[in-house]
Amino acid sequence: MIRPMFGRQKKPKKFDMPLRYYNPKEEERRRRRIRIQPTTRRRDRGQNIRVLLYAAGLAVVIYIISVL
């Protein structure tokens, strides 16, 4: 609070940005690393059979409840 009264002002901080030169191999490697490879979704055959068995079991339970 007293410093501004005596003519001292805050100076901006010095910033030294490191020099960066263009390296095509490095850029390609960075692009390849960032790129997300599309994944192919494989559904197991057993999973489809399991879903059908659950559906059949649920149908049997509903049938038994409705008949009684």
Side-chain angles (χ1 to χ4, degrees):
M1 186 168 141
I2 295 177
R3 284 188 174 181
M5 293 188 329
F6 293 110
R8 293 186 182 180
Q9 294 180 350
K10 287 187 175 181
K11 295 180 182 177
K13 289 185 178 181
K14 292 184 179 180
F15 178 73
D16 294 327
M17 182 162 175
L19 296 176
R20 184 175 161 211
Y21 297 102
Y22 180 71
N23 185 354
K25 290 180 183 177
E26 180 70 27
E27 290 295 321
E28 181 60 33
R29 197 173 81 208
R30 184 176 291 136
R31 252 188 236 115
R32 220 178 304 122
R33 185 182 66 201
I34 293 174
R35 190 177 307 141
I36 299 172
Q37 299 293 333
T39 58
T40 57
R41 290 184 66 187
R42 278 186 31 218
R43 289 194 176 182
D44 295 332
R45 188 172 179 191
Q47 183 179 3
N48 293 336
I49 292 172
R50 208 174 315 138
V51 170
L52 289 175
L53 287 176
Y54 286 140
L58 183 62
V60 169
V61 169
I62 292 175
Y63 176 74
I64 291 173
I65 290 174
S66 65
V67 170
L68 296 176

